[in-house]
Amino acid sequence: MKHERETYEKISDGILPAIGGKDNAIEAFHCATRLRINLKDTSKVNTDAISQLDLVKGVNINRNQLQIIFGAGLVDEVTSVFIQHTGIPAQSTENNVTEKAADDPKQEKSWFSRFLDDLTGVFSDILPGILAGGILIGVNNLFTQKIFGSQSLVQAIPGLSGISVIINLGASGIFAMLPLLVCYAATKRYGGRPVMGLAIGTVMMSSSLPSMADVQTGAAKALIANIFGWHLSLTSFGGQIIVALIMGYVVAKTDNFFQKKLPGVIQFVLAPMLTILVASFLLFMVIGPVGVALSTWITNGLVWMSSAFGIFGYIIFGGIQQLIVITGLHNMFGAVEAQLIATTKYDFLNPLFSGSLMGQGGGVLGYMLLNRKNKKTQEVGVSAFFSVLFGISEPALFGINIKNRYPLIGGCIGGAVAGGYTYLTQITAVAFGTTGVTGIAIAAPQNNGYLNYILMNLIGCLVGMIATIIIGKFFTKKQNEAV
């Protein structure tokens, strides 16, 4: 542990002068793979110097934010030491950023940038739970799907049935209560007390209310609340991720307001009570109906596009998805995927993400083959491709593909072909949060789902590699002719 900390401190010492010193930094935080540092002036950044530091797999600048790729797991430890060692503030709440921006206009971030940062923070917090639930669903599918002739594993070995039941409870429980987790993480993200997010989450998921699905199908009747002649239909908001995100924001701001305005003598008792009371009225009167409508539009829109554009839509999406990762906009998809799972029980986007990812992995392999005598390329390439196999594309994108361009193009071609195969075989997923090798655990078993998932990823990788080799030879030939 001491040796690791010394390594991370040495990396921090290397980063600090390369970003223009501590005074040029606003705050630091991390997502699943990247140390993110918001800066006053990105022109002071020496990306080449940062790229040469130990453990750094790539560097990217997006608006006023420097992103240093370390990879999943490692980035948590590096960021913690970096913040402690350099004294650069950790990002905490939207308010903190806004206050700093008021002092220096160059620090101001657009609402869309803040929105993306918020989504990153919310889903990074709850990602371990989502991954656990998704993989457990996949494991339970292996137990319950018919793989031995006409029998499932549980039917063939009855002693496994109890294990299957417990696994299913672990998996289904996480996704059934996902809005609760989102409320918690969103409230924390916006500077509120996380327990208040959990409290309003229990209101959303109240067992006293019929489920929205049961009311829509006529299996149950909504609870009617008579408010001075206004008859308000009340249902629970299970599966409503967008509603949960909005409520996390509302609870955080409402709780902070009452804590500031109420005197200390009564604040402890009244602030939480008034927060939940106000938030509950807003939930059932305004935010719930609006959030449900928004969720319905997004889900129906995605489902419509997947059918209206057919194979061409899948090909285009598979081809450009990793370009979206470069911009950071991919962080938006967590909420969309969660809503798809809650509404349709399946996520058709996850396999597309995986095929696009493996296309970029193929781009790395193609580049490595063309530069097989370059030792540094082989070292970076092996690390980047290994990360791709486990669902992390940033080391491949920022370490090799973007810098050299033609592996990125080859990878996009591989992703596009994999997207076409995904459409033809109708591969879907029963959860989200992981792609690549580990993504097979959440592939839906229907239509030979496991086999087709493997083939889809192999196709993306092989086509990406071949396309990169072909384009790379043409690209280097043109370069040589130019010289």
Side-chain angles (χ1 to χ4, degrees):
M1 290 294 293
K2 183 179 178 181
H3 173 70
E4 289 178 350
R5 184 174 181 86
E6 289 174 352
T7 300
Y8 303 153
E9 288 178 349
K10 185 178 178 181
I11 292 170
S12 301
D13 289 335
I15 293 173
L16 202 58
I19 63 173
K22 181 180 176 180
D23 291 339
N24 192 37
I26 303 171
E27 60 195 356
F29 63 107
H30 71 87
C31 61
T33 59
R34 316 179 199 188
L35 165 60
R36 296 171 178 249
I37 309 172
N38 290 329
L39 302 171
K40 298 175 184 177
D41 185 358
T42 54
S43 67
K44 296 180 179 180
V45 177
N46 185 341
T47 55
D48 291 336
I50 297 172
S51 298
Q52 297 304 313
L53 295 173
D54 288 343
L55 304 180
V56 172
K57 297 182 174 70
V59 181
N60 182 48
I61 295 177
N62 187 10
R63 294 191 178 91
N64 73 320
Q65 188 179 93
L66 172 68
Q67 302 172 357
I68 307 174
I69 321 304
F70 286 100
L74 177 62
V75 71
D76 303 61
E77 300 173 15
V78 173
T79 303
S80 177
V81 172
F82 176 78
I83 290 170
Q84 294 173 23
H85 187 66
T86 63
I88 293 173
Q91 186 186 61
S92 54
T93 69
E94 183 186 40
N95 288 339
N96 288 345
V97 178
T98 305
E99 286 166 10
K100 291 182 185 123
D103 296 332
D104 185 350
K106 288 189 294 183
Q107 296 180 18
E108 188 173 359
K109 299 170 70 176
S110 69
W111 70 267
F112 191 63
S113 294
R114 292 199 301 272
F115 174 66
L116 291 180
D117 286 347
D118 292 338
L119 280 183
T120 300
V122 169
F123 282 93
S124 290
D125 264 1
I126 64 175
L127 188 58
I130 293 171
L131 284 173
I135 292 174
L136 284 173
I137 288 175
V139 171
N140 193 57
N141 281 339
L142 293 176
F143 276 77
T144 57
Q145 294 299 313
K146 294 180 179 181
I147 54 177
F148 293 118
S150 61
Q151 284 189 318
S152 66
L153 191 60
V154 167
Q155 290 171 329
I157 310 174
L160 294 175
S161 61
I163 297 174
S164 175
V165 168
I166 294 172
I167 291 174
N168 186 52
L169 287 171
S172 60
I174 291 170
F175 281 97
M177 294 297 168
L178 191 55
L180 200 68
L181 299 179
V182 172
C183 271
Y184 163 85
T187 303
K188 178 182 175 183
R189 173 69 187 179
Y190 288 110
R193 291 180 287 184
V195 69
M196 299 304 293
L198 289 176
I200 197 64
T202 61
V203 176
M204 285 181 60
M205 307 288 292
S206 175
S207 59
S208 301
L209 296 172
S211 74
M212 192 176 298
D214 286 344
V215 172
Q216 290 173 343
T217 59
K221 292 185 178 180
L223 180 66
I224 304 299
N226 185 346
I227 304 176
F228 296 105
W230 179 18
H231 292 81
L232 191 63
S233 297
L234 308 182
T235 63
S236 71
F237 292 94
Q240 293 299 321
I241 308 304
I242 292 175
V243 174
L245 281 168
I246 300 172
M247 288 308 302
Y249 176 86
V250 169
V251 166
K253 299 307 177 185
T254 306
D255 189 34
N256 287 337
F257 172 81
F258 285 124
Q259 287 190 80
K260 289 178 182 177
K261 298 299 181 181
L262 293 175
V265 179
I266 60 174
Q267 180 199 103
F268 179 77
V269 176
L270 288 185
M273 183 275 288
L274 289 173
T275 296
I276 296 303
L277 180 63
V278 171
S280 295
F281 273 98
L282 288 173
L283 169 66
F284 292 111
M285 290 182 172
V286 182
I287 296 170
V290 171
V292 169
L294 184 58
S295 301
T296 303
W297 293 341
I298 291 172
T299 305
N300 290 346
L302 283 169
V303 172
W304 174 80
M305 282 191 294
S306 69
S307 58
F309 295 104
I311 191 171
F312 299 106
Y314 276 63
I315 288 172
I316 293 169
F317 192 89
I320 68 170
Q321 193 271 332
Q322 286 297 302
L323 301 181
I324 298 173
V325 172
I326 297 170
T327 68
L329 293 174
H330 66 295
N331 293 306
M332 297 178 62
F333 287 115
V336 175
E337 289 183 276
Q339 196 62 59
L340 273 174
I341 293 290
T343 307
T344 68
K345 306 301 181 187
Y346 295 102
D347 175 14
F348 70 88
L349 293 174
N350 188 268
L352 282 169
F353 294 163
S354 190
S356 187
L357 166 92
M358 292 305 296
Q360 294 302 319
V364 170
L365 291 180
Y367 184 77
M368 289 173 65
L369 286 171
L370 290 174
N371 298 272
R372 50 188 173 275
K373 294 181 180 179
N374 188 315
K375 185 177 179 182
K376 179 66 175 176
T377 294
Q378 301 305 306
E379 290 175 358
V380 175
V382 168
S383 175
F385 183 72
F386 186 79
S387 296
V388 166
L389 289 177
F390 290 91
I392 306 296
S393 64
E394 283 88 345
L397 288 170
F398 297 109
I400 291 179
N401 294 5
I402 295 173
K403 289 195 299 184
N404 300 287
R405 288 177 290 178
Y406 67 86
L408 180 67
I409 298 169
C412 288
I413 294 171
V417 176
Y421 185 83
T422 301
Y423 175 82
L424 293 174
T425 54
Q426 294 298 295
I427 308 169
T428 58
V430 294
F432 69 101
T434 184
T435 50
V437 172
T438 52
I440 193 171
I442 61 173
Q446 293 88 347
N447 305 316
N448 295 314
Y450 298 134
L451 175 61
N452 282 321
Y453 181 87
I454 294 170
L455 291 175
M456 177 267 296
N457 282 286
L458 284 174
I459 288 169
C461 186
L462 290 173
V463 173
M465 180 182 71
I466 294 167
T468 297
I469 292 172
I470 294 171
I471 297 170
K473 287 185 175 180
F474 178 80
F475 185 84
T476 52
K477 182 181 177 182
K478 284 287 185 183
Q479 279 188 326
N480 293 333
E481 289 175 354
V483 175

